[in-house]
Amino acid sequence: MGTERIHNFNAGPAALPLPVLEEIQDSFLNFAGSGMSVMEISHRSKWFDDVINDAIERVQRILQLDGRFHVLFLQGGASMQFCMVPMNFLSKNDTADYVNTGTWSTKAIKEAQIQGKSIQVIASSEDQNFAYIPKNLQLTPNATYVHITSNNTIKGTQWSTFPDTGGIPIVSDMSSDIFSRPLDVDKFGLIYAGAQKNMGPAGVCLAIIREDLLARTPEEIPTMLRYSTYAQKNSMFNTPPCFAIYTVQLVLKWLEETIGGLDKMTALNQEKANLLYDYMDQSGFYKGTAEQESRSLMNVTFRLPSEDLEKKFVAEALKNGLGGLKGHRSVGGCRASIYNPTPLAAVSALVDFMKTFEQKYG
Ligand SMILES: Cc1ncc(COP(=O)(O)O)c(C=O)c1O
């Protein structure tokens, strides 16, 4: 492969906005006049304080969070949240509901069960290989929270609207669709997301936690596994992943200042997804794997008539400068991840390639 950049459809780590990468490059050796790289400055310095505080303010502004919410940066990925959520929120007599919509929900459920917590799987789409988002949830009246995965990266499904839980706080894994659309924050107690899809590089996980859930954090769990530790220390109880947080700050700045905010981002995401799904729907050669009304705007999963053709598709696409189109190893098929940073031009180029490929092999 040469020095040209390709259209990157990886599921995560995934494409970052080019202006962000360029800004990092420009300031890489001398950050903000410090004479040091951003990777070399102290996390206790004024320079880094400015970075993390600006990132937090941007999260608050973009999602229109009110004073009840704390914005935290953690490590251990979204996978660490699978265990931290029940560990922090479920004491002896508490119970929680989970909705199983695929691989990541299944893992979240398992981590609660490992700890012997009382949880119910109140709905699942496993009967149809997780091709849809369940409706009509029967919530447990005294549940402390209900856990969902807002976007299912592997199965290509997404909650198009969030359920009415009658005041039970939703805890949502938003790793693959955070900042892709506006939210009614009143419904949520905790939102968490690994950065490496829609907001930055791997190595940092964003958690947005409501005051009342934060207050539940027990003292007897290890310090580094308590949300309250991060809230009390502005996410700097220990050395945070400075470079990853800096990149998140720049991606959020790009979203606000270059894209023009969340509404514009949402419209662009819709336009990208429509372009791809509309073409697939009329082709007959490419078949989406998710049920129509549960389709993800972020991860478009599809099959070709044979596995052999799928292999050819992925290989020929790469030769044409379109990378990362192989489906997750657990499900096969093809997947185009079209997160916030993926430009419309990349999706157009993909659709053009899909047409040519269909003409050749269809
Ligand atoms: C929805 C979702 N949740 C959780 C994870 C796991 O994230 P991490 O690798 O940051 O632990 C992923 C990773 O792909 C994901 O897509």
Side-chain angles (χ1 to χ4, degrees):
M1 188 103 343
T3 51
E4 285 290 302
R5 285 178 58 78
I6 62 166
H7 292 306
N8 177 359
F9 298 96
N10 278 331
L16 285 165
L18 189 56
V20 167
L21 296 175
E22 285 168 346
E23 187 169 345
I24 292 171
Q25 189 175 39
D26 284 349
S27 63
F28 197 62
L29 297 181
N30 186 355
F31 176 68
S34 65
M36 295 174 273
S37 171
V38 69
M39 296 202 300
E40 300 172 303
I41 59 174
S42 166
H43 62 293
R44 305 284 175 208
S45 65
K46 162 95 172 64
W47 293 295
F48 190 70
D49 258 346
D50 288 347
V51 167
I52 195 166
N53 290 334
D54 185 62
I56 290 169
E57 281 165 26
R58 289 184 189 278
V59 173
Q60 288 166 335
R61 212 161 40 231
I62 293 169
L63 295 180
Q64 298 184 1
L65 303 177
D66 55 52
R68 291 171 299 167
F69 291 92
H70 294 254
V71 176
L72 314 177
F73 292 105
L74 299 93
Q75 297 188 57
S79 300
M80 181 73 99
Q81 297 307 298
F82 299 160
C83 77
M84 274 179 73
V85 166
M87 190 181 280
N88 279 264
F89 301 152
L90 298 180
S91 297
K92 219 170 173 193
N93 298 318
D94 298 328
T95 193
D97 289 341
Y98 279 71
V99 182
N100 191 0
T101 52
T103 313
W104 301 111
S105 311
T106 305
K107 290 194 181 204
I109 291 162
K110 188 171 160 213
E111 293 300 314
Q113 287 168 338
I114 285 175
Q115 297 174 62
K117 300 290 184 183
S118 157
I119 63 154
Q120 299 73 233
V121 179
I122 55 160
S124 167
S125 48
E126 195 168 3
D127 57 341
Q128 302 284 337
N129 198 18
F130 297 112
Y132 69 100
I133 299 293
K135 286 194 184 121
N136 304 324
L137 307 181
Q138 301 294 319
L139 295 155
T140 308
N142 62 339
T144 301
Y145 62 83
V146 51
H147 182 283
I148 65 169
T149 311
S150 57
N151 184 74
N152 298 282
T153 325
I154 295 175
K155 307 290 181 181
T157 63
Q158 185 176 26
W159 293 76
S160 58
T161 56
F162 292 101
D164 179 2
T165 55
I168 298 174
I170 298 176
V171 169
S172 182
D173 176 355
M174 287 196 192
S175 294
S176 46
D177 67 351
I178 184 113
F179 304 125
S180 69
R181 54 179 166 168
L183 298 173
D184 173 5
V185 292
D186 275 339
K187 289 187 168 173
F188 296 91
L190 174 76
I191 292 166
Y192 63 87
Q196 66 272 21
K197 298 164 199 299
N198 246 348
M199 64 175 158
V204 68
C205 180
L206 174 72
I208 299 164
I209 183 167
R210 209 170 68 191
E211 192 77 47
D212 56 312
L213 278 179
L214 190 59
R216 296 183 77 90
T217 307
E219 285 298 308
E220 63 272 15
I221 59 176
T223 314
M224 283 291 287
L225 295 175
R226 269 183 243 153
Y227 289 112
S228 53
T229 302
Y230 296 82
Q232 285 156 12
K233 301 284 182 187
N234 203 27
S235 298
M236 288 191 277
F237 170 76
N238 72 330
T239 318
C242 302
F243 184 72
I245 294 172
Y246 164 62
T247 310
V248 169
Q249 180 215 4
L250 294 186
V251 172
L252 299 181
K253 185 171 103 174
W254 165 84
L255 199 165
E256 288 195 292
E257 295 171 16
T258 305
I259 295 296
L262 199 50
D263 288 340
K264 294 241 170 72
M265 190 79 257
T266 308
L268 186 57
N269 286 333
Q270 190 73 57
E271 192 180 352
K272 289 185 292 181
N274 286 350
L275 188 63
L276 202 41
Y277 282 122
D278 287 351
Y279 169 64
M280 268 167 45
D281 284 346
Q282 58 79 44
S283 97
F285 182 75
Y286 303 96
K287 290 213 164 45
T289 62
E291 284 188 8
Q292 202 136 350
E293 59 180 29
S294 299
R295 281 172 166 176
S296 167
L297 302 189
M298 299 278 102
N299 308 99
V300 178
T301 49
F302 54 96
R303 308 283 328 209
L304 275 70
S306 70
E307 283 186 23
D308 194 37
L309 278 173
E310 286 167 352
K311 270 200 196 116
K312 272 201 177 78
F313 176 82
V314 171
E316 287 195 20
L318 188 57
K319 280 197 195 124
N320 285 274
L322 306 158
L325 290 163
K326 196 165 179 285
H328 191 268
R329 61 192 182 283
S330 64
V331 291
C334 298
R335 170 175 58 178
S337 296
I338 51 173
Y339 302 120
N340 287 356
T342 305
L344 184 61
V347 182
S348 279
L350 173 60
V351 171
D352 287 346
F353 171 76
M354 288 169 85
K355 285 180 188 162
T356 311
F357 191 86
E358 181 179 351
Q359 275 158 13
K360 197 162 154 195
Y361 296 103

